[in-house]
Amino acid sequence: MKTMILSSLAAATVLITLGATVAQAQPRDCAGFSNRADFFSSIGLDDAAGFWSTLATECAASNWPEEDRRTVKESVRALAEEAGYERPEREVVEAAAEAAGVELPARRPGKGKKGKGKGMKGDRRDR
């Protein structure tokens, strides 16, 4: 009985460890960059659309789907600096979307909240 319990605990520990490793090394889907390029193009922000389209091409050419998130973020940051790309302000995106008659996707909870840090326990009370 003791052996079964210990082997069950060991198996659970291995699964949890493997799960954490897989969660950290999630591959990047290049389609996300293309989707963002298409969105910016649909609202008329051609500079932003061009940048994200370039990222989609670079993603496929450099095999980013096999890289970890940190490597991809560093590559995106380097390309943004190299191209002089600055993310459009939220107000600019909202105005362009309204002018184009495009509905913005819903914001994810916790994104863009000014004055609140990530992971603050106070953020969780109202959920």
Side-chain angles (χ1 to χ4, degrees), residues 2-3 13 25 42-43 49 57 61 64 66 70 77 84 86 108 110 114 124 127:
K2 221 180 202 182
T3 305
T13 303
S42 74
I43 63 172
T57 302
W64 285 358
E66 299 300 320
R70 175 178 283 151
R77 187 173 295 119
E86 290 188 31
R108 293 182 292 184
K114 293 182 181 179
R124 297 182 191 163
R127 291 186 193 164

Side-chain angles (χ1 to χ4, degrees), residues 90 103-109 111:
R90 179 84 181 162
E103 186 175 334
L104 289 174
R107 294 177 83 177
R108 293 182 292 184
K111 295 289 179 182

Side-chain angles (χ1 to χ4, degrees), residues 60-74:
S62 298
N63 203 26
W64 285 358
E66 299 300 320
E67 300 290 340
D68 61 68
R69 291 180 74 80
R70 175 178 283 151
T71 302
V72 172
K73 281 185 174 187
E74 289 170 1

Side-chain angles (χ1 to χ4, degrees), residues 2-3 8 24 47 53 77 93 104:
K2 221 180 202 182
T3 305
S8 295
Q24 290 174 352
D47 289 343
S53 182
R77 187 173 295 119
V93 173
L104 289 174

Side-chain angles (χ1 to χ4, degrees), residues 20-105:
T21 303
V22 169
Q24 290 174 352
Q26 290 178 331
R28 178 67 185 185
D29 180 10
C30 295
F33 296 124
S34 295
N35 293 343
R36 194 169 283 198
D38 292 344
F39 169 73
F40 282 122
S41 181
S42 74
I43 63 172
L45 295 178
D46 295 332
D47 289 343
F51 172 74
W52 290 101
S53 182
T54 300
L55 281 182
T57 302
E58 185 67 26
C59 178
S62 298
N63 203 26
W64 285 358
E66 299 300 320
E67 300 290 340
D68 61 68
R69 291 180 74 80
R70 175 178 283 151
T71 302
V72 172
K73 281 185 174 187
E74 289 170 1
S75 297
V76 169
R77 187 173 295 119
L79 286 171
E81 286 176 12
E82 187 178 298
Y85 174 75
E86 290 188 31
R87 189 169 132 189
E89 295 291 326
R90 179 84 181 162
E91 295 79 24
V92 171
V93 173
E94 288 171 347
E98 186 177 329
V102 175
E103 186 175 334
L104 289 174

